[in-house]
Amino acid sequence: MSIHPGTAAKHKAPDSQAAANAPKVRRRSPTRVNPALYLFPLPAVAVIAFFLVMPTLQAFQYAITDWNGFSAAFNYVGLDNFIRAFTNDSLFTNALTNNLKFVLLVVIAQTFFSLILALLLTKNSRGSILLRALFFFPTILSSVSVAFIWKFIYDPNFGLANSVLRTVGVDGGAYLGNDAQALYWVAVTQVWFHSGQMMVVYIAGLQAIPRELYEAAEMDGANKWQQFKSITWPFVAPATSIVVAYTTVQSFKAFDLILGIAGNPPKSSLDILSTRIYSTFANSEFGYAAAQSIIFMAMIALVTWLQRRLLRLTPKGE
Amino acid sequence: MSQISRRQAMAILGALGFGATAAACAGPGGSTAPGGASGPAAPSTGAITGKVSFAHWRGEDKAVFDELIKRFVAKHDGMEIAQDISTSNDYNAQALQKLRGGSIGDAFATFRGAQFKNFTEAGIYTELKDSQAVKNYQKGLLSAGQNGDSQLGLPYQVVFPMPMANLDIFDKAGAETAPKNWDAFLGMCEKLASAGVIPISWPGGDVGNGGQLFNCMIANNAPVDDMCAQIEQGKLKCTDDWFIKMLNQYKDLTPFVQPNATGTAVEPAQNLFSQGKAAMLATGSYHLAAVRGLGAKFPIDLVFPNTTSDGNGKYEGAYNATFILGVNSASKNQAAAAAWIDFLSEPENAGYYANQTAQHVSVDKVEYTNPDLKRLSPWLQKKTALAARFQFNNLDVRNAVEASATAVISGTSPEQAAAAAQKIVDERL
């Protein structure tokens, strides 16, 4: 009588003798599989190839041409577009600088602001729940609506900001019309827009902290700061990793907000990489715009990778 | 069935990937060849029937075109016209790609300047030189649709990118509406300011609308008519004396525009004018309908900021034609599309369009019944310069050059602003 291999696998052999007597199961080589199985991922591979790989490869191809987007004729120019971006295009380097400044501003402000909100509103009281909903509310708005709301707030003639200031006898500014300040005001909008979402991430982290730890700390005489440093922060640190990574990518790609608030094309003090790429496409410089897109993609990848390397925030013990 | 190893399977997938790469690298250019050595052909002739797609960006004119379509269809059995309307930005960015296939835009509109040039180079236009339509236009207003000897498009609208004036405020302040020279213009602004209003409402926060004043400011300052084309080509420079002089004149305007003008979007600027808080709106006649819509009841005329010192300027104003009609060379129904363009170009239909949209048209013998258009009609006969800012084909150059004026209004010195603009121009040469 032969033992079914499946049965043999499920039951322990009663003793070593029985195990020795059991017929040897001929196992299929782990590296040999039925080729028909490889047909199953083909539809997914085809979709990915068509919608992801091909356009990406085409972008790489466009990036080394001087194609204008509509002409049948084009020349391969090698790395000229990439070199031009960094050596002979002050609009691109200006957009790059603006973008890095914007990312830095937003990441720092949004991380702190959302953490503070989460710390203040983590208790499940009725007031906290209402305030959480209020702070989360901007997140559900479309970025175009947000842009138009804030464009109105910042308007120097009819805007809310200057109207409020006028009631206390202060002359407001031009806000978006002031080249030195414009980027900061858009950063304020971006932080307002997304902090509620990040607050939720932090609240999830905070609510996972066992209450007993705080009780024990209080019994040991730890003050609030010591409790934050030794209990809260180690637990919410992984959430910070997520918040920073998400905020970085979001700020790099604040295209719709910038375009909505500053118009198209935005003036140079508000031009960021994504709006610059759009302007370059609209200017019928497809090859150059593709090169800028690749630089943009590489930058986001690099910054995200650096963050993962530098910001390994994990709870103690892990 | 024989079995394969993972390595072999990976090789097969790799080959598929290579195939995809090869397919991707087939070439960025499409299959439509541009132009043709013999130049554009006239629209094909045939029965006026079937479907026509009319592509444009003026959503605000949809109802007017719907009515005109009704009238056209009533004359031609079996005709159907669909409006394919995009926003102006989308139209700028995508229209060429859409039109090349010929599935939309049998008849279409084009912006003057870079878009007209791109469409021309892509061979999108048919030749309308010998069409019935072209005979209906004022000859002097057709140049924006010409390329060499060809009449590729018919500039339909005529707009005046000059400050609109609230005549009630001008009367009250005793300010003249036709200042003879720059000092007279500044004197006029002084009088308006003394009357307690903002002399000029200027949307400096809106690149497109804020830039329209540039057409007036440069017209009589530049040494040649194709000044912006020459700046783009490097033949003229923003750092030239005449350009710096123009920027200094912008600086002269600083006390007369609303506070924080560089942060003002177009809608608030329109509101200042419509509410009678500002005497002029420095955009153009294309905002007539908008300011009426905002409740402006006062009589409106146009004022040309005459930048000359002796009053002997070449031009008395500026005009533009942004809505250029064309027939798509890739269209399968060119005969019907051309018939639609002919229909729009008849004085009666052009008049209907003009009066309903509060826009002048280039079509001759049009009767303007709209009171604003009637009042502004004399400007059609004046010596006006074709708006210079649309000579720029490179939008980065255009924005940089115009931004120099905005920078001056916000406090940068004319020399610094000019140098910054010229840097961008030099990079694009």
Side-chain angles (χ1 to χ4, degrees):
Chain A
M1 185 185 156
S2 66
I3 299 170
H4 191 275
T7 314
K10 283 177 186 167
H11 301 286
K12 278 186 179 176
D15 54 43
S16 57
Q17 185 59 43
N21 291 341
K24 283 187 178 171
V25 177
R26 189 167 176 272
R27 288 183 180 276
R28 185 178 283 179
S29 161
T31 59
R32 311 293 295 182
V33 290
N34 188 334
L37 292 177
Y38 286 106
L39 293 176
F40 288 99
L42 270 185
V45 169
V47 168
I48 291 168
F50 191 76
F51 289 108
L52 199 71
V53 179
M54 276 179 57
T56 308
L57 290 172
Q58 275 208 316
F60 275 95
Q61 188 202 3
Y62 294 159
I64 53 167
T65 70
D66 63 357
W67 191 41
N68 62 10
F70 53 86
S71 166
F74 62 91
N75 299 305
Y76 283 98
V77 295
L79 296 177
D80 282 4
N81 286 330
F82 295 92
I83 295 165
R84 176 186 162 191
F86 291 107
T87 59
N88 195 29
D89 186 356
S90 50
L91 289 178
F92 180 80
T93 45
N94 167 65
L96 178 63
T97 313
N98 284 346
N99 215 152
L100 291 174
K101 213 190 284 180
F102 185 71
V103 169
L104 199 66
L105 279 170
V106 172
V107 166
I108 293 171
Q110 192 161 296
T111 306
F112 274 102
F113 188 56
S114 50
L115 177 59
I116 288 165
L117 278 181
L119 288 169
L120 293 174
L121 304 176
T122 193
K123 281 181 186 166
N124 280 328
S125 68
R126 198 174 291 171
S128 291
I129 290 169
L130 179 71
L131 284 171
R132 263 187 246 168
L134 276 176
F135 282 111
F136 188 75
F137 175 71
T139 307
I140 63 172
L141 296 174
S142 80
S143 46
V144 177
S145 314
V146 169
F148 275 83
I149 289 167
W150 282 83
K151 197 172 160 180
F152 169 72
I153 291 172
Y154 288 145
D155 181 81
N157 306 289
F158 298 97
L160 184 68
N162 277 1
S163 300
V164 170
L165 288 174
R166 271 193 287 266
T167 59
V168 291
V170 177
D171 280 334
Y175 303 103
L176 302 171
N178 183 329
D179 284 345
Q181 300 174 359
L183 199 68
Y184 297 99
W185 295 114
V186 179
V188 168
T189 307
Q190 174 84 351
V191 171
W192 177 87
F193 188 17
H194 291 293
S195 288
Q197 205 176 356
M198 298 301 107
M199 171 193 75
V200 171
V201 175
Y202 273 126
I203 286 176
L206 288 171
Q207 289 185 336
I209 304 173
R211 296 290 100 191
E212 297 81 11
L213 293 177
Y214 289 106
E215 287 162 16
E218 273 174 25
M219 286 174 71
D220 288 343
N223 61 28
K224 289 288 177 195
W225 169 245
Q226 285 166 328
Q227 286 178 31
F228 175 80
K229 204 173 69 169
S230 306
I231 303 171
T232 310
W233 178 247
F235 272 91
V236 296
T240 303
S241 246
I242 295 166
V243 168
V244 170
Y246 186 75
T247 307
T248 303
V249 176
Q250 216 174 35
S251 318
F252 261 118
K253 304 195 315 188
F255 174 81
D256 38 6
L257 186 73
I258 295 270
L259 229 54
I261 212 164
N264 181 31
K267 49 196 208 162
S268 67
S269 58
L270 287 176
D271 207 10
I272 60 170
L273 285 174
S274 51
T275 51
R276 182 94 297 269
I277 291 166
Y278 184 73
S279 299
T280 312
F281 272 117
N283 214 9
S284 299
E285 294 185 278
F286 269 53
Y288 186 39
Q292 291 179 345
S293 306
I294 288 165
I295 295 168
F296 183 40
M297 187 178 74
M299 279 201 57
I300 293 184
L302 179 70
V303 170
T304 311
W305 178 78
L306 276 174
Q307 274 178 0
R308 286 183 64 83
R309 297 280 300 173
L310 301 174
L311 216 66
R312 280 186 176 152
L313 301 171
T314 50
K316 277 179 185 171
E318 279 189 24
Chain B
M1 197 173 179
S2 64
Q3 292 181 335
I4 59 171
S5 66
R6 281 213 172 91
R7 185 172 291 177
Q8 286 167 321
M10 291 310 293
I12 291 167
L13 286 175
L16 282 171
F18 182 76
T21 310
C25 295
S31 57
T32 312
S38 57
S44 55
T45 52
I48 299 167
T49 184
K51 283 186 183 174
V52 163
S53 155
F54 177 40
H56 64 90
W57 63 86
R58 287 190 60 88
E60 63 269 45
D61 295 352
K62 184 181 179 299
V64 179
F65 280 125
D66 278 342
E67 173 58 28
L68 287 166
I69 287 167
K70 252 191 223 168
R71 296 180 187 184
F72 179 71
V73 168
K75 285 173 74 176
H76 300 282
D77 274 351
M79 269 302 310
E80 200 180 311
I81 297 183
Q83 295 190 63
D84 280 300
I85 305 173
S86 312
T87 62
S88 55
N89 285 339
D90 286 349
Y91 199 83
N92 242 330
Q94 298 164 6
L96 185 57
Q97 297 299 339
K98 288 181 179 172
L99 262 59
R100 284 179 67 185
S103 55
I104 74 150
D106 299 290
F108 61 95
T110 330
F111 291 97
R112 190 183 144 227
Q115 192 178 55
F116 180 72
K117 178 178 170 273
N118 287 342
F119 278 35
T120 303
E121 285 177 2
I124 293 285
Y125 289 105
T126 56
E127 171 66 88
L128 299 176
K129 192 164 49 184
D130 301 321
S131 68
Q132 181 58 40
V134 85
K135 297 180 181 72
N136 291 327
Y137 286 79
Q138 291 186 47
K139 296 287 170 285
L141 298 176
L142 280 168
S143 61
Q146 290 167 348
N147 182 46
D149 292 336
S150 292
Q151 187 72 50
L152 302 179
L154 303 172
Y156 197 53
Q157 281 177 347
V158 176
V159 296
F160 297 101
M162 296 191 286
M164 290 196 287
N166 177 335
L167 292 182
D168 283 350
I169 296 180
F170 270 69
D171 282 348
K172 209 168 129 190
E176 54 178 336
T177 52
K180 300 280 182 298
N181 54 38
W182 186 242
D183 285 340
F185 182 80
L186 294 179
M188 178 198 84
C189 290
E190 288 280 7
K191 279 189 180 173
L192 293 166
S194 303
V197 294
I198 297 161
I200 305 171
S201 172
W202 179 62
D206 183 294
V207 172
N209 287 292
Q212 298 294 1
L213 185 62
F214 184 81
N215 294 311
C216 301
M217 298 294 284
I218 202 169
N220 283 329
N221 266 316
V224 289
D225 283 349
D226 62 341
M227 67 300 263
C228 293
Q230 290 209 25
I231 288 174
E232 192 167 277
Q233 292 156 10
K235 292 176 189 166
L236 294 176
K237 289 185 182 298
C238 299
T239 46
D240 289 346
D241 289 346
W242 67 270
F243 196 90
I244 302 280
K245 181 191 161 203
M246 183 190 72
L247 291 182
N248 272 304
Q249 289 176 325
Y250 264 103
K251 196 177 167 188
D252 294 341
L253 292 181
T254 311
F256 303 119
V257 295
Q258 78 276 20
N260 299 315
T262 54
T264 305
V266 68
E267 296 85 359
Q270 285 174 344
N271 267 303
L272 286 173
F273 180 67
S274 305
Q275 294 173 10
K277 293 177 182 167
M280 287 183 276
L281 172 63
T283 57
S285 64
Y286 59 94
H287 275 154
L288 271 172
V291 298
R292 290 289 179 222
L294 289 168
K297 302 279 187 231
F298 45 81
I300 295 174
D301 201 345
L302 300 170
V303 172
F304 180 59
N306 191 333
T307 54
T308 60
S309 50
D310 56 3
N312 292 323
K314 190 174 175 184
Y315 294 107
E316 302 169 291
Y319 85 98
N320 195 29
T322 53
F323 200 68
I324 302 175
L325 298 173
V327 174
N328 191 342
S329 62
S331 164
K332 306 268 188 302
N333 198 0
Q334 291 178 21
W340 167 240
I341 299 299
D342 285 350
F343 177 82
L344 289 177
S345 308
E346 289 170 11
E348 186 190 344
N349 302 319
Y352 178 79
Y353 174 80
N355 290 310
Q356 293 298 313
T357 59
Q359 305 282 342
H360 287 99
V361 285
S362 314
V363 175
D364 209 3
K365 295 173 187 157
V366 165
E367 191 187 336
Y368 293 107
T369 53
N370 176 302
D372 287 322
L373 295 183
K374 258 186 174 174
R375 186 179 298 108
L376 301 185
S377 287
W379 285 96
L380 287 166
Q381 313 305 326
K382 290 192 182 183
K383 188 150 176 52
T384 48
L386 187 53
R389 67 191 291 247
F390 299 100
Q391 291 172 11
F392 289 117
N393 289 319
N394 187 305
L395 298 176
D396 285 340
V397 171
R398 185 173 94 185
N399 294 331
V401 173
E402 288 174 11
S404 64
T406 311
V408 167
I409 296 276
S410 69
T412 309
S413 80
E415 289 76 13
Q416 272 182 325
Q422 189 56 40
K423 185 172 189 291
I424 308 291
V425 177
D426 290 341
E427 287 172 355
R428 296 296 186 272
L429 279 173

